């Protein structure tokens, strides 16, 4: 096989902006200082870029976790172009392959099995990906005129936003150089690496509470830098969920944007995996980890019995839930509240809740 050719545009873009951010920016800061409005504007640009990638490129377009009004899609397309991570079409097509072939050395475009450097940035520096221009897995997105428009005018958009927006900011604050350095260069470098951490660190550092079939990790610290995308283990098993952090207190600003958008008519059709499916995945892993750790046969047997009981109830509950879905689809006029399936569903739900409580108690007792 031929050696992959270097992609010079990317190599120069990443290295020159990085060097400028660690030399020119601090030098200017020490010599002349930055004002609070310089920082504020750079911070806002960083937020708009980051969330355009997480809420737009990622959860909306790659995973279709919800639907968004055209004005919101346009917002994401423009600020996403400014983030300079390629067009929506390129980004989503690669990301869908990342999920389908996660960790595969050749087929996952930023496979974590090739190490930190490759998954972080190395994959963009040379022509490693033979399918980089294969858009067969994003046919659905070609129907979105905003996606097509952004792809067609990607380069002018990148230049207009990355030069134009900081220039405008500089005219407002009265200091164009400071704006170009902070809102231009430093903002771009931080925005790049915060996103890149999701492909690198979020596949290396953290816990795997939902699945160990891939390298993706849950990590609350990374969530702080990645607008909520640090809960990557959950995301890889339930990719259609509009949330990554499922608890209300999990730091996931992307989820909050999508949620509040639904309250003002900007987003709709928010997809959520059922609580019991999530808990089932968690219990499966807890049982697996406990089996590896527990040496006392008696304790293991107790845990196994409870695990079997929960699995059984969960299985029945999902069957009943499926029947309910069918009924809902057929739009049968029968009154759901008084139907047998509803009673069965509610009974199984409370049984599951009870069994889950017992499970947590037994696990805590046996593992200490
Ligand atoms: Zn991933
Ligand atoms: Zn994803």
């Amino acid at each position: 096989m031929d050696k992959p050719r270097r992609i010079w545009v990317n190599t120069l873009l990443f290295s020159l902006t990085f060097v400028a951010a660690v030399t020119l920016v601090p030098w200017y800061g020490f010599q002349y200082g930055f004002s609070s409005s310089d920082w504020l504007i750079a911070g806002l640009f960083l937020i708009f870029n980051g969330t355009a990638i997480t809420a737009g490129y990622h959860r909306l377009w790659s995973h279709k976790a919800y639907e968004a009004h055209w004005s919101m899609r346009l917002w994401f397309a423009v600020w996403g172009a400014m983030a300079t991570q390629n067009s929506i079409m390129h980004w989503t097509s690669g990301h869908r392959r990342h999920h389908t072939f996660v960790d595969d050395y050749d087929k996952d475009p930023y496979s974590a099995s090739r190490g930190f450097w490759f998954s972080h940035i190395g994959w963009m520096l040379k022509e490693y990906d033979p399918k980089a221009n294969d858009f067969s897995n994003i046919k659905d997105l070609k129907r979105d005129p905003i996606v097509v428009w952004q792809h067609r005018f990607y380069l002018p958009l990148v230049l207009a936003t990355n030069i134009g927006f900081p220039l405008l900011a500089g005219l407002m604050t009265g200091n164009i150089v400071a704006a170009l350095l902070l809102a231009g260069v430093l903002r771009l470098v931080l925005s790049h690496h915060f996103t890149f951490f999701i492909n690198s660190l979020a596949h290396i550092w953290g816990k795997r509470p939902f699945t160990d079939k891939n390298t993706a990790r849950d990590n609350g610290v990374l969530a702080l830098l990645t607008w909520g995308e640090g809960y990557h283990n959950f995301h890889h098993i339930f990719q259609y969920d509009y949330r990554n952090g499922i608890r209300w207190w999990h730091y996931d600003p992307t989820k909050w944007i999508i949620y509040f958008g639904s309250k003002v008519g900007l987003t709709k059709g928010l997809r959520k995996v059922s609580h019991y499916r999530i808990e089932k995945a968690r219990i499966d892993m807890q049982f697996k980890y406990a089996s590896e750790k527990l040496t006392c046969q008696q304790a293991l047997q107790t845990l196994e019995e409870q695990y079997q009981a929960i699995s059984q109830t969960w299985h029945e509950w999902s069957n009943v839930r499926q029947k309910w879905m069918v009924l809902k689809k057929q739009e049968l006029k029968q009154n759901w509240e008084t139907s047998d399936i509803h009673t069965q569903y509610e009974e199984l739900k409370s049984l599951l809740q009870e069994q889950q409580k017992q499970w947590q108690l037994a696990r805590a007792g046996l593992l200490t």
Side-chain angles (χ1 to χ4, degrees):
M1 224 169 87
D2 293 342
K3 261 177 85 180
R5 280 214 319 253
R6 180 161 295 281
I7 306 174
W8 279 105
V9 182
N10 291 356
T11 309
L12 288 174
L13 172 76
F14 293 137
S15 50
L16 292 179
T17 52
F18 184 82
V19 169
V22 295
T23 55
L24 284 181
V25 173
W27 169 78
Y28 189 89
F30 286 124
Q31 282 288 319
Y32 308 101
F34 293 111
S35 70
S36 44
S37 42
D38 294 331
W39 284 109
L40 183 74
I41 292 172
L44 277 178
F45 283 5
L46 186 64
I47 294 172
F48 294 159
N49 287 164
T51 51
I53 295 294
T54 59
Y57 274 46
H58 189 214
R59 300 192 202 179
L60 173 70
W61 282 304
S62 298
H63 295 300
K64 311 190 100 181
Y66 66 100
E67 292 166 46
H69 188 262
W70 67 265
S71 56
M72 200 168 187
R73 299 203 314 275
L74 184 63
W75 173 273
F76 290 152
V78 172
W79 290 100
M82 190 184 180
T84 321
Q85 298 181 18
N86 222 330
S87 68
I88 301 161
M89 279 169 70
H90 274 292
W91 202 103
T92 50
S93 144
H95 191 69
R96 285 183 184 179
R97 274 183 291 121
H98 167 62
H99 275 266
T100 311
F101 303 108
V102 61
D103 298 330
D104 184 290
Y105 194 90
D106 293 311
K107 289 181 181 162
D108 174 353
Y110 25 91
S111 175
S113 64
R114 297 173 78 156
F116 174 86
W117 177 256
F118 182 86
S119 60
H120 188 75
I121 197 168
W123 66 278
M124 291 174 279
L125 302 180
K126 287 184 184 174
E127 288 175 352
Y128 291 106
D129 187 3
K131 297 214 171 214
N133 292 310
D134 176 356
F135 296 139
S136 56
N137 63 347
I138 52 155
K139 284 188 184 130
D140 53 314
L141 298 184
K142 288 188 188 156
R143 287 194 292 272
D144 185 338
I146 291 175
V147 172
V148 177
W149 165 79
Q150 198 241 26
H151 185 72
R152 194 159 162 218
F153 297 105
Y154 177 70
L155 192 60
L157 272 169
V158 166
L159 295 173
T161 50
N162 277 284
I163 298 166
F165 287 3
L167 265 182
L168 275 177
L171 288 174
M172 270 166 59
T173 59
N175 190 341
I176 289 178
V177 181
L180 285 175
L181 285 175
L182 278 196
V185 178
L186 184 66
R187 180 268 321 159
L188 181 65
V189 172
L190 290 178
S191 172
H192 271 154
H193 291 279
F194 286 173
T195 304
F196 301 164
F197 280 146
I198 305 164
N199 300 332
S200 57
L201 280 183
H203 277 265
I204 295 170
W205 176 35
K207 293 200 165 122
R208 289 193 281 182
F210 299 102
T211 176
D212 62 355
K213 289 202 173 85
N214 59 63
T215 54
R217 304 288 207 273
D218 268 18
N219 185 321
V221 178
L222 272 186
L224 296 175
L225 296 179
T226 55
W227 320 104
E229 305 269 42
Y231 304 98
H232 207 55
N233 187 255
F234 174 83
H235 174 63
H236 264 273
I237 183 168
F238 300 121
Q239 55 175 301
Y240 304 111
D241 200 309
Y242 82 93
R243 309 158 304 167
N244 276 15
I246 42 166
R247 305 274 192 233
W248 67 266
W249 45 266
H250 277 164
Y251 181 78
D252 186 354
T254 304
K255 152 185 93 177
W256 297 325
I257 291 170
I258 299 167
Y259 177 78
F260 287 114
S262 74
K263 298 292 162 201
V264 293
L266 283 173
T267 64
K268 61 177 183 178
L270 278 54
R271 292 164 79 183
K272 236 166 118 173
V273 177
S274 89
H275 170 73
Y276 296 105
R277 254 185 90 191
I278 296 170
E279 289 313 306
K280 176 68 172 57
R282 196 198 299 276
I283 286 169
D284 284 350
M285 284 313 296
Q286 286 173 341
F287 180 63
K288 194 173 176 194
Y289 290 140
S291 319
E292 285 161 9
K293 206 170 161 191
L294 278 174
T295 42
C296 168
Q297 276 306 313
Q298 184 77 44
L300 192 59
Q301 202 183 336
T302 313
L303 215 55
E304 184 161 5
E305 279 163 16
Q306 289 208 359
Y307 172 70
Q308 297 298 354
I310 292 183
S311 302
Q312 177 64 25
T313 315
W314 185 83
H315 197 68
E316 287 170 28
W317 172 83
S318 48
N319 277 343
V320 172
R321 193 182 147 86
Q322 225 157 30
K323 280 186 201 161
W324 169 40
M325 294 295 181
V326 173
L327 277 183
K328 257 176 68 177
K329 245 190 206 147
Q330 291 171 343
E331 287 182 35
L332 290 180
K333 290 270 186 270
Q334 79 181 92
N335 193 346
W336 160 245
E337 295 295 325
T338 55
S339 75
D340 287 350
I341 298 182
H342 179 249
T343 324
Q344 231 178 324
Y345 179 78
E346 288 300 324
E347 278 172 8
L348 285 167
K349 207 164 109 178
S350 47
L351 182 60
L352 257 183
Q353 275 163 355
E354 188 49 39
Q355 284 176 334
Q356 279 174 4
K357 250 187 251 158
Q358 296 296 338
W359 166 265
Q360 295 305 351
L361 283 173
R363 202 179 131 260
L366 290 172
L367 286 175
T368 47

